[in-house]
Amino acid sequence: MKIRKLLICVCMMAALTGCSSNKENKDENNNDNSILEENRVEVNVYNNLVTETEQNEIKPLLQNAQLSNVDTFFSWVKDFNGTMKEDVGLVEKWTPLKDLNYDTTYKNDEMAIAWDETHEQQGDANSRIAAFLLMDGLIEAPEYEEYGSYILMDMEQIETDPMFEKIKPDMYKYSAVFDEVDLSIVKTQEEFDNAFPDAWAKRGVTFAANKAALINVVVQSPLDNLAFIAHSGVRIQEDTYVLFIEKVDYCNAYQVSRFEDERALVEELRRRTYLVGDEAFDMVVLANDKVIRM
């Protein structure tokens, strides 16, 4: 009888110990899940860096990615947003990208009027200039002075406008990156996809290995059989998402977006219209000198 009571006590103690252990494991798992939930960020959203809250959230990410001229970039952002009126389409908080129509949400004409009224002798940055401002220190290139009509206005702005004095010493690098590419011997989509990477290799353009990358949308001009960069931005690869920083267009919004991966970023870029014509080749999106495959 005493032995039986002893066995019962031992079993009860083991059961209690097991319950306690299971409870501790469950609590630990719950705590881990809570931490994951706290660290998870919403993706497929955008904002226009209108308030200091958004600016202070994003600025350290650009600095941690070792981007160049971050303070200058944010001075451009503040100048542009401070010039705009309330009804031009800018948002002050993270907003679903599905709610954004690039043709109608942003009031490009009204933005241009507002800018010109207060910046009579000063142009505005386009997507290529804004992206290059941030990526300047992560790109290397030898002297390159030739460039065609597709970046002629860019080069004139950089040369003459004090707003772009930070990148004026590196105009040679800018032209090496963004100058158009001849497609006379290009016959296939794969050759088109690699037209700029091949040209950069010949021009001596290199990109530093970094969590940041220059994103370029390359399209074909069917009128003169050239490839050119229609849009640019900067991608930063964070632990759980992709951050994309861009100037949507000349006299158009600064925009920061978050995506789950690069493919989602490319899908968003493909929502936009870059050319209306009979192009033989589909647009391609490059991260530095690598094609982002869908």
Side-chain angles (χ1 to χ4, degrees):
M1 191 64 134
K2 288 182 180 180
I3 295 173
R4 185 180 175 189
K5 285 183 179 180
L6 179 61
L7 288 173
I8 291 173
C9 288
V10 169
C11 290
M12 288 180 65
M13 289 177 65
L16 288 172
T17 302
C19 289
S20 176
S21 177
N22 289 337
K23 184 177 184 302
E24 287 176 2
N25 289 336
K26 287 180 180 178
D27 289 343
E28 186 175 338
N29 289 335
N30 287 336
N31 288 336
D32 289 343
N33 290 334
S34 298
I35 292 172
L36 288 173
E37 286 295 331
E38 289 176 4
N39 291 337
R40 184 177 291 125
V41 298
E42 188 179 7
V43 294
N44 299 321
V45 292
Y46 78 101
N47 75 66
N48 298 122
L49 298 170
V50 174
T51 71
E52 288 191 4
T53 299
E54 283 76 32
Q55 294 169 14
N56 292 337
E57 177 186 357
I58 298 302
K59 188 173 183 178
L61 301 180
L62 274 61
Q63 294 169 328
N64 290 340
Q66 299 179 320
L67 294 180
S68 305
N69 307 306
V70 173
D71 288 338
T72 300
F73 175 78
F74 276 91
S75 72
W76 291 5
V77 170
K78 293 176 182 178
D79 184 22
F80 184 87
N81 288 343
T83 302
M84 296 301 113
K85 300 176 182 178
E86 293 184 359
D87 56 352
V88 296
L90 304 180
V91 297
E92 298 185 0
K93 60 181 181 179
W94 291 104
T95 303
L97 276 162
K98 63 181 178 62
D99 297 338
L100 173 59
N101 184 317
Y102 292 93
D103 295 327
T104 59
T105 301
Y106 293 133
K107 306 298 188 293
N108 189 213
D109 291 343
E110 295 178 23
M111 289 181 181
I113 292 171
W115 181 264
D116 289 341
E117 286 177 348
T118 55
H119 299 75
E120 293 181 4
Q121 304 298 321
Q122 180 180 313
D124 185 33
N126 61 25
S127 68
R128 292 183 295 268
I129 291 176
F132 184 80
L133 177 78
L134 292 172
M135 286 293 298
D136 191 358
L138 299 176
I139 301 172
E140 295 296 334
E143 291 294 331
Y144 184 89
E145 297 180 356
E146 299 178 7
Y147 54 87
S149 59
Y150 286 95
I151 62 168
L152 177 61
M153 186 174 294
D154 295 16
M155 299 300 284
E156 290 179 349
Q157 278 191 278
I158 296 169
E159 175 70 37
T160 60
D161 196 326
M163 177 177 175
F164 307 121
E165 63 181 5
K166 284 284 187 179
I167 58 177
K168 185 176 179 179
D170 291 335
M171 288 179 64
Y172 71 94
K173 193 189 302 184
Y174 187 95
S175 58
V177 172
F178 294 112
D179 189 27
E180 62 208 33
V181 174
D182 180 41
L183 297 177
S184 58
I185 63 172
V186 172
K187 304 301 180 185
T188 67
Q189 181 65 46
E190 184 176 0
E191 290 175 335
F192 176 79
D193 292 351
N194 290 294
F196 261 93
D198 290 346
W200 287 332
K202 292 176 182 177
R203 297 173 189 174
V205 175
T206 58
F207 301 88
N210 190 281
K211 66 190 297 184
L214 179 67
I215 299 294
N216 286 313
V217 177
V218 180
V219 299
Q220 177 208 4
S221 169
L223 299 176
D224 43 22
N225 204 26
L226 296 172
F228 69 95
I229 293 173
H231 188 71
S232 301
V234 176
R235 180 227 71 199
I236 298 177
Q237 181 65 61
E238 295 295 337
D239 291 339
T240 59
Y241 65 94
V242 165
L243 187 74
F244 187 58
I245 306 100
E246 62 180 317
K247 183 79 157 61
V248 173
D249 203 350
Y250 182 87
C251 282
N252 209 316
Y254 288 91
Q255 180 175 307
V256 177
S257 308
R258 290 196 302 233
F259 302 92
E260 61 268 29
D261 53 32
E262 280 189 339
R263 290 186 177 187
L265 166 58
V266 173
E267 288 177 3
E268 181 63 25
L269 290 171
R270 285 181 173 275
R271 285 212 296 139
R272 311 180 194 182
T273 302
Y274 303 99
L275 279 178
V276 179
D278 186 20
E279 298 88 44
F281 303 110
D282 188 21
M283 59 172 273
V284 61
V285 181
L286 304 174
N288 287 341
D289 57 354
K290 306 299 182 185
V291 177
I292 304 178
R293 301 292 182 187
M294 294 299 290

